Amino acid sequence: VTDVCNAYVNSAYYLVFACNSANTAYSTTGSAWTDSTQDSLYVCAWDNKLWGITTAGQLWYTSDLSTFTNDAVLPTGAGSVKGLVVGPDAYGEPIIYAVTNQGLYAHDFANTRFLLTGFTGLTGVYYAKPCEWNGNVCVPIDDIVWLYNPVTKITTPIGPFYPDGFPKADTDLGVTYAWGPYIISIAPVAGRLYALSGPSSAANGAYALNFFDGRGWQGHGYGELTADYFTNLKASYAYGAHRLWIVENQTSAAKSSVGYWPIPTYSGPLATYGAAGYLTTPWFDCFDAAVIKTGLQVHVNISGTSATEYLEVKYALNYTRSSAIDLGRISTDGVTTYRLPGSPTSNGLDFRAI
């Protein structure tokens, strides 16, 4: 299986699987399945039709799951297509986009063609399934999520890994990260964009589930995998609860299993940790790393402290994490103010990024 989608076709809701450009399987119940010989590598739903694309880049559609009509062909050649996604055009109308290893193409249904957008140069090793989030077309390539805004034509890398988010492997600030090497799946959930990172095949490695809220990344969960790997995320209200479902390929047992993470309904300024936790912010450079800025103070607001529940504050400068500077330990509730660069009489700190 190379892709899955929900589609409303011919007055019925279907769950559709694309089977590695070999056939297309679909069901209305999840128990009785129909296998079509229609070639599909990726699938999506648009305009009350099921759409699919082949390895050769041939787009097709059907409105009844019996008659399949060929549409546009990607000009990028066989093997170049990496995903299909429905997102807004420059006027807010939903259209189909095709992710290729040469760029993001917009489908022009009226003229049966694909048009190259301003998002080009998408070379990578691992391409996860794209999605639409907050009016952007989101394309995960290797360890970076790229946002393409169809209105402004601007493409922005947002992380979740360094330099736009978390470090992938870092011990300099007192915590070891070893997440990746790829973003396996992304999912839009309640105003957030979740990203699952880990190995893309059977291997021992760490995984992490992080989410982006438009301002920065936060960690939701992490752990270790042994000879297994995750493949998909899907948000759902099934079974009376808001959950983020996850598919794990258990190679040792020759099967796949499905589990879930609960999605918290509260999003506020406070973070709650277990026995030990770490909050690492992205680099702050005022969107211009070439300009020298001056930092005066750092304010930290914390609650629930005690002699054994405390917060240690550190900072690093100019993209060099190995020279982290310890500001101190906080074990009292309220706002603690540190004068930069770190002494009570400090008058400011020049930096390019902090």
Side-chain angles (χ1 to χ4, degrees), residues 65-286:
L65 293 173
S66 60
T67 301
F68 297 86
T69 303
N70 285 337
D71 197 87
V73 180
L74 280 169
T76 50
S80 62
V81 61
K82 302 298 181 182
L84 286 181
V85 60
V86 175
D89 64 9
Y91 302 98
E93 295 296 327
I95 63 171
I96 295 174
Y97 290 90
V99 177
T100 77
N101 58 11
Q102 301 172 38
L104 180 68
Y105 281 79
H107 177 233
D108 180 1
F109 179 67
N111 297 292
T112 319
R113 60 178 178 172
F114 280 106
L115 298 174
L116 182 62
T117 68
F119 188 4
T120 60
L122 306 188
T123 302
V125 175
Y126 189 87
Y127 297 77
K129 183 178 176 64
C131 75
E132 184 274 335
W133 177 73
N134 282 4
N136 299 285
V137 179
C138 306
V139 181
I141 304 176
D142 293 340
D143 58 356
I144 296 293
V145 177
W146 297 83
L147 299 188
Y148 173 72
N149 188 309
V151 177
T152 64
K153 315 298 183 187
I154 293 176
T155 304
T156 307
I158 62 168
F161 294 118
Y162 174 86
D164 305 294
F166 298 113
K168 285 185 65 175
D170 175 44
T171 58
D172 298 324
L173 300 183
V175 57
T176 299
Y177 302 91
W179 301 333
Y182 304 118
I183 296 172
I184 303 303
S185 185
I186 60 175
V189 182
R192 300 168 172 173
L193 181 66
Y194 277 79
L196 176 67
S197 306
S200 61
S201 59
N204 297 338
Y207 69 85
L209 179 65
N210 306 307
F211 66 84
F212 182 72
D213 61 4
R215 295 170 296 178
W217 288 91
Q218 297 186 47
H220 188 86
Y222 64 93
E224 297 284 337
L225 292 173
T226 302
D228 299 329
Y229 59 100
F230 292 129
T231 58
N232 295 97
L233 285 178
K234 181 67 175 177
S236 173
Y237 284 95
Y239 310 112
H242 196 193
R243 294 168 174 152
L244 193 63
W245 295 85
I246 187 169
V247 179
E248 179 182 352
N249 191 323
Q250 296 180 318
T251 55
S252 57
K255 65 178 183 180
S256 293
S257 64
V258 178
Y260 65 85
W261 272 295
I263 299 173
T265 57
Y266 169 73
S267 177
L270 303 181
T272 302
Y273 299 103
Y278 302 89
L279 176 63
T280 303
T281 68
W283 287 103
F284 174 70
D285 60 10
C286 295

Side-chain angles (χ1 to χ4, degrees), residues 264-349:
T265 57
Y266 169 73
S267 177
L270 303 181
T272 302
Y273 299 103
Y278 302 89
L279 176 63
T280 303
T281 68
W283 287 103
F284 174 70
D285 60 10
C286 295
F287 302 102
D288 192 343
V291 174
I292 296 177
K293 283 75 66 174
T294 300
L296 299 178
Q297 297 177 340
V298 173
H299 303 271
V300 183
N301 190 2
I302 187 173
S303 64
T305 57
S306 67
T308 57
E309 296 285 336
Y310 54 83
L311 180 69
E312 293 181 343
V313 183
K314 301 180 181 181
Y315 71 90
L317 292 175
N318 304 330
Y319 305 108
T320 303
R321 310 192 74 89
S322 58
S323 59
I325 298 169
D326 192 348
L327 285 177
R329 176 181 294 185
I330 304 174
S331 57
T332 57
D333 291 355
V335 178
T336 299
T337 300
Y338 294 104
R339 297 171 66 97
L340 294 176
S343 71
T345 58
S346 296
N347 292 318
L349 171 68

